[in-house]
Amino acid sequence: MIQGLRTVIYKVADIHEAEDWYSRILGFAPYFSEPYYVGFQVGGFELGLDPDLTRGESPGGVVAYWGVDDAAAEYARLVGLGAAPHEEVRDVGGGIRVATVRDPFGNVFGVIENPQFSLANVR
């Protein structure tokens, strides 16, 4: 079942420039910074920067990820309820698994299984 909004990913063409800009506007550095992903914890949620545009996205695209206990089960449930497959479940490291579907209205809807997420870590 859907637990709540967890992560918003912004697609960027230049990860280093985006990391610098978001660090300046947020007033703090990311908790995770690699060439393939930068993550900021903001008010108990994650703002992610993703430079991988190989899946047909373009810079400026946004995907919101909703927390779930089991990404594969939720992906299957959403498809069973009429969503169109978009990105199958994939491990993005650290035990975190994500997937996306297109809702019946064309929107990309993401799910994230993140065993590291805890509302206790909210600053």
Side-chain angles (χ1 to χ4, degrees):
M1 291 306 264
I2 302 296
Q3 300 169 345
L5 188 61
R6 295 287 187 265
T7 304
V8 173
I9 306 289
Y10 292 157
K11 301 296 181 172
V12 299
D14 185 325
I15 191 82
H16 302 294
E17 185 179 325
E19 178 179 353
D20 179 60
W21 192 82
Y22 279 97
S23 292
R24 285 186 285 125
I25 68 158
L26 294 171
F28 54 88
Y31 79 92
F32 186 87
S33 178
E34 292 291 336
Y36 58 88
Y37 184 80
V38 171
F40 295 89
Q41 289 188 359
V42 184
F45 301 95
E46 179 156 334
L47 166 61
L49 306 174
D50 182 357
D52 184 1
L53 304 176
T54 61
R55 293 181 300 276
E57 301 104 348
S58 59
V62 177
V63 178
Y65 288 86
W66 295 85
V68 297
D69 286 329
D70 183 332
E74 193 62 25
Y75 178 83
R77 187 177 83 88
L78 292 168
V79 170
L81 291 170
H86 183 255
E87 276 187 336
E88 292 187 6
V89 177
R90 63 188 171 101
D91 189 308
V92 295
I96 301 167
R97 297 170 15 136
V98 299
T100 57
V101 296
R102 284 206 182 269
D103 71 14
F105 317 100
N107 300 296
V108 176
F109 184 97
V111 295
I112 183 167
E113 174 187 332
N114 184 349
Q116 300 172 36
F117 181 85
S118 169
L119 288 174
N121 295 332
V122 175
R123 35 169 160 170

